[in-house]
Amino acid sequence: MTAYLLRRLAIAVATLFVASLVVFSVLEILPGDPARLMLGLNASPDALAALRTEMGLDRPLAARYLDWLGGMITGDFGRSLTYSSPVIDLVKERLAVSFPLALIALTLSTIIAIPVGVFAAARRGKAADTVAMGLAQVGVAVPNFWFALLLVYVFAVSLRLVPAGGFPGWGDSWASHWQALRALILPAISLALPQAAILARVTRSATVEVLGEDYIRTARAKGLPYRRVLWRHALRNAMIPVLTIMGLQFAFLLAGTIIIENVFYLPGLGRLIFQAISQRDLIVVEGVVMLLVASVILINLVVDICYTIVDPRLRGGR
Amino acid sequence: MRMFARSLAAAVILAASASAALSARTDLVLGVVLEPPHLDPTAGAAAAIDEIVYANIFEGLTRIGPNGDVVPALAESWEISEDGKIYTFKLREGVKYHDGTSFDAEDVKFSIERAMGKDSTNAQKVLFSGIQTVEVVDPTTVKVTLQQPQGSFLYNMAWGDAVIVAPESADGNKEKPIGTGPFKFGNWAKGSSVTITRNPEYWGEPARLEKAEFRFIPDAAAAVAALLSGDVQAFPNLQAGDALPQIEADPRFKVVIGATEGETILAMNNGKEPFNNLKVRQAISHAVNRDEVILGATNSHGVPIGSHFSPANSAYVDLTGTYPYDPEKAKALLAEAGYPDGFSATLKLPPPPYARLGGEIIASELREVGINLEIIPMEWAQWLEQVFTNKEFDLTIISHTEPNDINIYARDDYYFSYRNPRFNEIMTKLDATVEPEKRKELYGQAQRIIAEDAVNVFLFQLPKIGVWDAKLEGMWENMPIQANDLTKVRWVD
């Protein structure tokens, strides 16, 4: 187990290093001058030069790369070129929105998808299965921003139950926690439904496959009730592909939610990256992308560990 | 007795809540499209900075009023010497910065010299280039000496880039702006909003609002939903698109179409074949149907222009008839210029909707006269680098939002590469003229020269579609300078 983890760790470090090289060089090739973007159309050449020096953009490429890499190793992600605050603070602020949002959305989608998937698998080929999977198909096909707008018009504009968007911050009282949570309800639902649709389909097909296995017949022959066989034996064995998809979905939910963040004007990670790219705030883009690479690696590791929990055979081996 | 006490208490509570309901609201949430990179107007060109801090947090010696005229701000009054070179400003007394430090002539000297300095990152450094010296006469008097007379000096000092800051707090203004205005900086929730609160120690007439929040909503559909749900009560400039008629029909809202300083033009690369040929430029001007472009790009809210000048300005001359829409004449001119079969060129478009929508229409109009345009959409960073800095373009559409900026046509290395010594001469003269009537006449001549030279196709003045709660008063109708001045905004019943 330890050797296995160590090997995984070495791979992770190598991946991070290669990613840092790719991210840095891609962004350097990108046309656009951050100083010019800050100072606009009327800027004089000497003001531009002064700002470039202030931003450190006049130094050679290799020196900047090494500085950045060295900084990251010691936990210093540098300072944003446009916002004059440290990158790590910007990321922390955004994670306060993106992380809870991703967590709520993933929980919602799991709560919906797994029962629906198992239920459809148990009634394979029957009307209930067709209806459930038809709905899932619609869920996959409907664009989430359209669905989000629909929710806004119904629940915010007409019924006025929740705000149409924005995020008030978590605050320090229960009342403000609740306000913050309220602001995340509609975005979480609009993110969760398409994910749930995908997850339900995966759960169904994995369960259907498992239900055809010999051990299921053995369990039934032993006299176990069908319900128990379904939930204890079939679902557990079907969990491996489901966990894989959930890991991918969580990584996506952390940073790939720019469209939903725009519809609800939430200050999440996706918008930070988008803004930083259009402002050519390279240091922020580089820092955030590296953190995301790291979190994807971490999520995959967690998923791997979860595999060994659901499937004890994986524990000893490798 | 007990009974009496209880009913008295109830009456008091009732009366208190009734009077609370009667007194008008004092808070406001405004929606703006872009989040500023920081909040220091002296270190960045982003309009989003001025749209929050100008006149609210920071003040200059002079300021621009709602109608575009220059009015006193931190300078109570001024005198101009006979030769127009020396401006003596009398400053207001008893003015304090938001951090409690007091304002005096030293701060003015510091602010101007900081903007002019070698390490200055002021985006409009050129505003200060004519200044020779700044002298402190006494704590409430400042003498500014110019290299030569400059008619636009008082106007220049009213820009957001020329606000007066304190040496104690100047370096922190990006994150925590400290000015002298009627509002103090409250907090900035990055990615969502900036909040400002009333400054109780303001030297002038206090603001009516106690708190104002600028919320950043980049998505047009989200903005409309925020307005309809009541989350946001005012959009100084709403990108409403198709939803505008619905909002106009709703009695809860007021829709005010105003003017901005944004001259929107089809810019041509005058330094490059075939656009260096006057006949080709005239042909393109004749081939563009301005009304059609205005309809498509702004829902007919834009005001047509015939030169690089705002119709709201008193020196404006209507030159929209210089090259009227006439495709036949355009074809004839192209033939005369040696392109009887037309030619192909590129049209590079930045992201704003006016450019993207207008570009489609112009491309189809020019196709009618034989000019085939390849449309290349770009993001801002790319546009700034390729078009604006490196001049790698044939045609582009852009709105020049800086106020009173006809003088860009005198810059020899400006991106559209226009050179005309006669025009430059007029600009030099204008700089040296203080008398309003003479300035007007010179402005008129300048407008005519660039219109006749067909430097660019002058399309329309970018409209500002203001939408706010019908009970809100005091919002600016026009945008003579990039600002959302909240000093007079209040709720009425």
Side-chain angles (χ1 to χ4, degrees):
Chain A
M1 189 78 183
T2 332
Y4 168 66
L5 278 180
L6 277 178
R7 219 183 55 197
R8 292 296 310 237
L9 207 65
I11 294 175
V13 171
T15 314
L16 277 173
F17 177 72
V18 174
S20 79
L21 255 176
V22 172
V23 168
F24 191 85
S25 33
V26 164
L27 286 177
E28 287 304 326
I29 296 166
L30 210 64
D33 173 2
R36 168 66 83 183
L37 273 162
M38 286 282 283
L39 295 186
L41 304 189
N42 272 6
S44 62
D46 51 332
L48 279 172
L51 186 62
R52 277 196 204 107
T53 314
E54 198 183 298
M55 289 174 161
L57 292 175
D58 53 343
R59 299 172 47 236
L61 212 61
R64 271 162 48 209
Y65 174 69
L66 290 177
D67 267 9
W68 175 62
L69 202 64
M72 272 198 307
I73 290 168
T74 56
D76 174 13
F77 282 77
R79 242 165 208 287
S80 158
L81 301 180
T82 43
Y83 293 130
S84 42
S85 46
V87 175
I88 199 77
D89 289 355
L90 289 175
V91 172
K92 270 193 217 148
E93 282 167 15
R94 301 306 172 104
L95 270 182
V97 180
S98 285
F99 191 75
L101 181 61
L103 213 59
I104 299 171
L106 190 71
T107 314
L108 266 179
S109 94
T110 313
I111 292 175
I112 300 169
I114 292 193
V116 169
V118 173
F119 174 80
R123 286 170 182 65
R124 181 156 55 118
K126 302 216 173 92
D129 178 28
T130 317
V131 171
M133 286 305 107
L135 282 178
Q137 192 68 51
V138 173
V140 174
V142 168
N144 60 0
F145 68 88
W146 180 84
F147 186 63
L149 275 175
L150 204 69
L151 288 178
V152 167
Y153 273 93
V154 174
F155 292 100
V157 174
S158 301
L159 299 176
R160 303 219 175 176
L161 290 175
V162 284
F167 186 72
W170 288 103
D172 37 23
S173 65
W174 284 107
S176 58
H177 293 345
W178 166 239
Q179 287 305 324
L181 200 62
R182 245 165 57 109
L184 293 184
I185 295 174
L186 292 188
I189 295 176
S190 10
L191 283 171
L193 285 186
Q195 307 282 359
I198 297 169
L199 203 60
R201 292 177 62 85
V202 172
T203 310
R204 177 188 173 273
S205 59
T207 314
V208 163
E209 201 173 304
V210 171
L211 283 176
E213 295 283 339
D214 290 343
Y215 56 80
I216 296 292
R217 209 174 15 174
T218 312
R220 286 285 286 145
K222 233 167 40 175
L224 284 179
Y226 184 64
R227 192 174 285 254
R228 195 172 153 84
V229 171
L230 188 64
W231 290 99
R232 283 293 302 273
H233 296 251
L235 179 61
R236 183 156 184 175
N237 281 292
M239 272 316 271
I240 297 263
V242 174
L243 276 174
T244 314
I245 297 292
M246 279 171 66
L248 289 175
Q249 288 191 341
F250 191 66
F252 164 78
L253 285 172
L254 264 187
T257 58
I258 167 82
I259 294 171
I260 289 297
E261 282 173 24
N262 249 338
V263 174
F264 293 99
Y265 48 104
L266 291 173
L269 262 190
R271 251 175 77 194
L272 178 66
I273 303 180
F274 181 76
Q275 242 173 354
I277 292 175
S278 51
Q279 296 276 355
R280 291 296 182 274
D281 193 345
L282 305 180
I283 194 100
V284 170
V285 184
E286 289 159 0
V288 176
V289 171
M290 287 310 292
L291 282 173
L292 288 175
V293 172
S295 61
V296 168
I297 292 173
L298 190 74
I299 289 169
N300 281 339
L301 197 67
V302 171
V303 169
D304 278 355
I305 293 170
C306 288
Y307 286 167
T308 64
I309 296 173
V310 294
D311 188 350
R313 282 172 304 176
L314 294 174
R315 260 173 239 172
R318 281 201 272 185
Chain B
M1 191 60 203
R2 215 204 223 155
M3 188 67 187
F4 173 71
R6 207 181 282 163
S7 50
L8 185 69
V12 167
I13 291 169
L14 257 177
S17 49
S19 71
L22 277 180
S23 65
R25 277 180 83 160
T26 56
D27 66 311
L28 175 67
V29 181
L30 288 101
V32 290
V33 179
L34 292 177
E35 175 167 26
H38 57 75
L39 294 171
D40 184 354
T42 67
I49 302 174
D50 289 302
E51 284 169 8
I52 292 174
V53 302
Y54 187 81
N56 296 328
I57 294 181
F58 287 111
E59 297 170 303
L61 288 172
T62 55
R63 56 163 292 185
I64 304 293
N67 301 319
D69 30 38
V70 180
V71 294
L74 287 174
E76 208 168 48
S77 60
W78 47 81
E79 270 166 35
I80 307 169
S81 67
E82 284 285 304
D83 62 356
K85 280 194 194 172
I86 301 171
Y87 285 70
T88 312
F89 292 97
K90 182 89 187 88
L91 306 178
R92 281 186 210 276
E93 285 176 49
V95 177
K96 276 196 172 7
Y97 285 98
H98 300 150
D99 61 354
T101 53
S102 55
F103 156 84
D104 63 27
E106 290 291 344
D107 295 320
V108 177
K109 182 178 162 75
F110 167 79
S111 299
I112 294 178
E113 285 179 350
R114 175 171 172 263
M116 293 166 66
K118 205 171 140 290
D119 297 334
S120 158
T121 52
N122 196 300
Q124 312 291 347
K125 213 173 163 181
V126 64
L127 293 179
F128 308 91
S129 60
I131 298 176
Q132 199 164 42
T133 57
V134 185
E135 286 164 70
V136 173
V137 178
D138 63 58
T140 59
T141 314
V142 176
K143 199 162 91 179
V144 179
T145 310
L146 305 177
Q147 282 151 7
Q148 56 224 339
Q150 195 179 14
S152 56
F153 181 65
L154 289 171
Y155 190 89
N156 291 353
M157 289 301 107
W159 281 56
D161 306 80
V163 296
I164 304 301
V165 297
E168 294 88 350
S169 50
D171 289 338
N173 281 344
K174 284 187 174 177
E175 286 291 300
K176 190 177 186 311
I178 303 269
T180 55
F183 289 95
K184 283 183 187 187
F185 170 72
N187 86 307
W188 181 2
K190 295 266 163 65
S192 26
S193 65
V194 167
T195 308
I196 59 176
T197 56
R198 179 159 62 194
N199 170 14
E201 282 155 60
Y202 185 52
W203 56 265
E205 191 191 321
R208 306 292 286 268
L209 293 173
E210 231 157 79
K211 195 177 117 183
E213 181 184 333
F214 293 88
R215 208 171 276 180
F216 315 125
I217 309 180
D219 187 69
V224 173
L227 181 80
L228 294 178
S229 71
D231 288 359
V232 175
Q233 298 98 42
F235 282 91
N237 200 356
L238 183 71
Q239 302 176 313
D242 302 336
L244 196 62
Q246 183 199 344
I247 298 168
E248 275 175 323
D250 194 325
R252 284 183 294 160
F253 307 113
K254 221 183 312 191
V255 176
V256 181
I257 313 285
T260 68
E261 285 295 317
E263 289 85 17
T264 312
I265 57 174
L266 172 69
M268 300 190 255
N269 192 340
N270 283 239
K272 190 177 164 190
E273 291 263 357
F275 308 100
N276 55 359
N277 186 332
L278 175 64
K279 289 211 166 82
V280 171
R281 296 201 304 268
Q282 287 172 330
I284 294 176
S285 303
H286 276 304
V288 171
N289 182 348
R290 210 179 263 128
D291 293 334
E292 223 171 74
V293 178
I294 293 174
L295 172 67
T298 70
N299 278 329
S300 290
H301 292 308
V303 178
I305 52 171
S307 186
H308 199 101
F309 215 72
S310 163
N313 195 307
S314 58
Y316 173 75
V317 183
D318 185 358
L319 294 164
T320 48
T322 314
Y323 298 109
Y325 176 56
D326 186 349
E328 287 315 310
K329 197 158 181 198
K331 277 186 207 160
L333 280 164
L334 278 179
E336 272 179 54
Y339 300 95
D341 305 319
F343 57 86
S344 295
T346 60
L347 173 60
K348 294 189 171 173
L349 300 176
Y354 67 76
R356 296 280 166 92
L357 297 170
E360 301 277 346
I361 297 164
I362 286 176
S364 76
E365 286 173 352
L366 292 193
R367 201 171 302 125
E368 297 289 306
V369 301
I371 302 172
N372 282 309
L373 294 187
E374 184 201 345
I375 291 180
I376 307 175
M378 305 194 140
E379 47 159 351
W380 272 122
Q382 235 179 335
W383 186 90
L384 278 171
E385 177 151 314
Q386 288 190 18
V387 177
F388 193 76
T389 312
N390 298 340
K391 301 173 197 146
E392 288 160 10
F393 77 106
D394 297 332
L395 299 169
T396 185
I397 297 179
I398 181 72
S399 196
H400 283 263
T401 51
E402 280 81 7
N404 252 341
D405 57 353
I406 195 169
N407 57 357
I408 55 178
Y409 289 76
R411 292 194 197 169
D412 283 346
D413 60 346
Y414 209 56
Y415 74 106
F416 42 70
S417 302
Y418 170 65
R419 273 177 208 114
N420 184 342
R422 210 156 60 90
F423 183 85
N424 294 14
E425 210 177 288
I426 290 177
M427 283 297 119
T428 320
K429 247 194 239 164
L430 187 70
D431 244 357
T433 311
V434 182
E435 199 191 322
E437 277 312 303
K438 277 229 177 86
R439 285 178 66 83
K440 234 181 226 183
E441 200 195 306
L442 289 167
Y443 268 133
Q445 288 177 16
Q447 291 172 57
R448 271 192 197 93
I449 292 177
I450 55 170
E452 275 155 22
D453 276 350
V455 185
N456 298 312
V457 183
F458 304 99
L459 299 170
F460 55 86
Q461 202 70 18
L462 199 64
K464 160 177 142 41
I465 299 173
V467 179
W468 46 83
D469 196 297
K471 289 197 217 98
L472 203 62
E473 268 185 9
M475 297 279 298
W476 279 18
E477 190 176 317
N478 298 316
M479 208 177 236
I481 193 159
Q482 284 145 352
N484 289 310
D485 177 3
L486 300 181
T487 49
K488 299 266 189 303
V489 174
R490 64 196 178 101
W491 288 96
V492 290
D493 285 315

